[in-house]
DNA sequence: GAGTTTGAAACT
DNA sequence: CAGTTTCAAACTC
């Protein structure tokens, strides 16, 4: 389309001298750096960092934050009263808050805060990991960065614009399920946290087994929220287990190779975009007499998957649970692989008891913390 | 390190 | 809301 310079770009951006070298295109919802409040909320008296009836430990830390991150973002009073009484966003280890490989030591130990490499977004869009996570850029490799204290006004505008598009933009994508809705689980070194992606992913080609997939990146299973195609990121998935199970568990090269093999094989055998669900779930859908292209079938598949996830997640806590194995071997059909919990070789019954105790205590602590920080669900 | 692929975000 | 474009991370070579 014709992107004649100057015509569609609001002249008001001239206020910021650094914008001179910013690509004068796109950004149809261009930020107005000259104003401090949203037009929609002229009454809002927003301070640069609005925060939130939060307790002391919930204060904004521009950079860096320990995890869980505590992020404050701008919201209008209207939004505050509507659905986000507390603007604070406690991020679990969301995909975009985890240190990337280049931010780690060779042994995988996180060394420093993630650093973005934005070039065209001024770090004022959700493309920017720093901005998305509610933090200022600090030591990043970005170009023409506005996500810093010096450009707080612009940043504030961007936050408002982003919130205008999506009031949940700065809320954690990966949410735990504190009310018992255990749709997935995050396998951490410390234990299991039942979480799922709020919006769900929309992956098409990655099989949800690469870090392109936000669910996979967050180390969680895809859920009924996802609209992904040919998903292999579900409990009991052969391909997924190939990534995490066995002696190759720490071999990233093997993991990636296995993922590629799984993805390539899936595409090669069933064709790209053939099925929105995996072979396992295809079998389930056939069992239910649903057609693949039926959108409701897709949803059903995910719903069934989610149900399976819940079952399997709980089953995984019981390494020798015969139901878990029988169920999976059945659904896997002709597969020679017998499903075993990923933790089967790790957790002993005594460990399980201890784990349950820890979880009980932890849930109490979480509930306490949530009550202190205010509701944000 | 350059180029490609991928999918979320932004935009139309 | 669906389709397209933009963007930056992930990935490959």
């Amino acid at each position: 389309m014709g992107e004649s310079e100057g015509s569609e770009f609001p002249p008001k951006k001239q206020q910021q001298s650094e914008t001179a070298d910013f690509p004068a295109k796109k950004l149809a919802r261009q930020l107005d750096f000259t104003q401090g409040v949203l037009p929609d909320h002229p009454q809002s008296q927003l301070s640069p960092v609005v925060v939130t009836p939060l307790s002391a430990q919930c204060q904004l830390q521009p950079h860096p934050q320990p995890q869980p991150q505590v992020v404050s973002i701008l919201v209008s009073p209207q939004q505050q009263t509507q659905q986000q009484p507390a603007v604070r966003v406690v991020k679990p280890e969301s995909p975009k808050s985890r240190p990337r490989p280049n931010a780690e030591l060779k042994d995988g130990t996180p060394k420093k805060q993630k650093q973005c490499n934005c070039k065209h977004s001024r770090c004022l869009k959700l493309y920017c990991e720093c901005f998305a996570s509610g933090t200022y850029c600090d030591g990043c490799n970005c170009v023409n960065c506005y996500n810093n204290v010096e450009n707080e006004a612009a940043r504030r505008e961007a936050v408002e614009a982003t919130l205008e598009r999506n009031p949940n933009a700065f809320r954690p994508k990966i949410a735990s399920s504190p009310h018992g809705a255990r749709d997935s689980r995050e396998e951490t070194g410390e234990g299991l946290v039942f979480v799922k992606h709020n919006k769900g992913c929309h992956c098409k080609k990655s099989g949800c087994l690469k870090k392109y997939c936000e669910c996979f990146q967050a180390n969680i299973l895809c859920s009924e929220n996802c609209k992904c195609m040919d998903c292999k990121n579900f409990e009991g998935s052969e391909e997924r287990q190939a990534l995490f199970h066995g002696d190759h568990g720490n071999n990233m090269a093997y993991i990636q190779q296995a993922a590629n093999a799984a993805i390539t094989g899936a595409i090669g055998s069933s064709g790209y975009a053939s099925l929105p669900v995996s072979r396992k779930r295809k079998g389930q859908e056939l069992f239910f007499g649903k057609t693949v292209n039926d959108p409701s079938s897709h949803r059903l598949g995910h719903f069934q998957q989610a149900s399976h996830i819940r079952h399997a997640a709980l089953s995984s806590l019981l390494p020798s649970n015969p139901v878990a194995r029988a169920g999976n071997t059945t659904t896997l059909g002709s597969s020679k692989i017998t499903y075993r919990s990923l933790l089967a070789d790790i957790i002993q019954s005594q460990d399980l008891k201890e784990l349950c105790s820890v979880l009980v205590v932890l849930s109490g602590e979480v509930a306490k913390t949530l009550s202190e920080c205010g509701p944000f669900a």
Side-chain angles (χ1 to χ4, degrees):
Chain A
M1 62 185 78
E3 295 176 6
S4 57
E5 300 86 17
S7 62
E8 88 277 38
F9 207 64
K12 37 195 167 186
K13 82 179 184 68
Q14 295 171 353
Q15 181 231 14
Q16 294 281 345
S17 60
E18 297 98 309
T19 57
D21 55 338
F22 183 71
K25 61 175 183 177
K26 313 311 174 202
L27 286 182
R29 170 71 171 85
Q30 186 58 40
L31 303 175
D32 183 353
F33 297 157
T34 64
Q35 298 179 7
V37 296
L38 273 176
D40 293 344
H41 311 292
Q43 81 284 13
S44 60
Q45 303 297 322
L46 299 176
S47 58
V49 178
V50 172
V51 195
T52 81
L54 294 177
S55 55
Q57 74 268 24
C58 299
Q59 290 298 315
L60 168 66
Q61 296 288 332
H63 227 241
Q65 307 96 330
Q67 291 190 9
Q69 285 184 329
V70 175
V71 177
S72 90
I73 52 182
L74 276 172
V75 289
S76 67
Q78 192 177 73
Q79 289 168 320
Q80 282 188 333
T81 56
Q82 281 179 343
Q83 55 175 318
Q84 298 179 68
V87 190
R88 177 207 48 135
V89 176
V90 177
K91 299 202 76 172
E93 189 168 29
S94 72
K96 299 200 172 185
S97 65
R98 288 194 301 171
R100 303 203 312 274
N102 67 355
E104 295 178 353
L105 295 174
K106 289 185 178 180
D107 61 359
T109 302
K111 182 180 181 179
K112 57 184 178 181
Q113 183 85 13
K114 65 184 180 302
Q115 296 175 327
C116 70
N117 300 284
C118 305
K119 291 180 175 63
H120 305 297
S121 67
R122 288 181 297 181
C123 298
L124 290 182
K125 302 256 181 178
L126 293 175
Y127 298 128
C128 174
E129 290 194 359
C130 303
F131 181 78
S133 65
T135 63
Y136 292 118
C137 287
D138 180 20
C140 299
N141 303 313
C142 43
V143 176
N144 197 20
C145 179
Y146 274 55
N147 184 29
N148 48 43
V149 182
E150 292 75 27
N151 295 280
E152 183 56 44
R155 180 178 184 272
R156 190 194 330 161
E157 283 283 329
V159 170
E160 291 173 356
T162 301
L163 285 172
E164 200 173 7
R165 278 189 297 268
N166 176 18
N168 297 325
F170 295 96
R171 304 184 73 189
K173 293 178 181 177
I174 310 300
S176 59
S177 302
H179 301 303
R182 297 177 173 183
D183 297 273
S184 183
R185 65 176 186 181
E186 183 175 47
E187 293 158 342
T188 67
E190 296 78 25
L192 300 177
V193 178
F194 293 90
V195 293
K196 69 176 178 181
H197 197 290
N198 284 333
K199 289 179 59 181
C201 68
H202 300 78
C203 305
K204 296 176 180 176
K205 298 182 179 180
S206 68
C208 299
L209 288 181
K210 294 199 173 187
K211 293 180 76 175
Y212 297 126
C213 173
E214 292 195 347
C215 298
F216 179 84
Q217 192 174 59
N219 197 24
I220 65 175
L221 301 172
C222 288
S223 70
E224 74 274 14
N225 293 345
C226 299
K227 296 180 176 64
C228 43
M229 304 170 72
D230 209 13
C231 178
K232 294 171 175 54
N233 184 27
F234 59 90
E235 187 73 26
S237 162
E238 299 173 43
E239 294 83 354
R240 182 177 180 275
Q241 288 181 52
L243 298 181
F244 293 104
H245 199 244
D247 296 334
H248 307 284
N250 294 325
N251 188 331
M252 291 307 296
Y254 175 83
I255 289 174
Q256 195 57 62
Q257 186 178 5
N260 292 337
I263 294 163
T264 303
I267 295 175
S269 61
S270 58
Y272 165 61
S274 56
L275 293 175
V277 294
S278 70
R279 281 174 290 170
K280 178 173 73 82
R281 281 175 286 140
K282 174 169 68 177
Q284 290 174 327
E285 290 184 346
L286 290 174
F287 179 79
F288 279 84
K290 301 288 288 186
T291 58
V292 171
N293 291 331
D294 180 1
S296 64
S297 168
H298 188 183
R299 300 290 174 81
L300 178 61
H302 270 306
F303 184 78
Q304 291 168 345
Q305 175 192 338
S307 300
H308 177 71
I309 289 168
R310 276 186 279 271
H311 172 77
L314 292 174
S315 300
S316 296
L317 291 173
L318 304 173
S320 59
N321 183 351
V323 176
R325 297 190 184 192
N328 281 282
T329 51
T330 300
T331 55
L332 286 173
S334 60
S335 171
K336 299 291 194 300
I337 299 175
T338 298
Y339 171 68
R340 296 183 71 229
S341 166
L342 300 176
L343 302 173
D345 298 328
I346 301 172
I347 295 182
Q348 303 300 317
S349 60
Q350 184 174 352
D351 298 327
L352 180 59
K353 293 177 182 177
E354 294 179 2
L355 176 61
C356 290
S357 299
V358 171
L359 289 175
V360 169
V361 175
L362 181 61
S363 62
E365 289 294 326
V366 170
K368 181 181 177 181
T369 301
L370 290 175
S371 64
E372 289 177 351
C373 294
F376 58 95

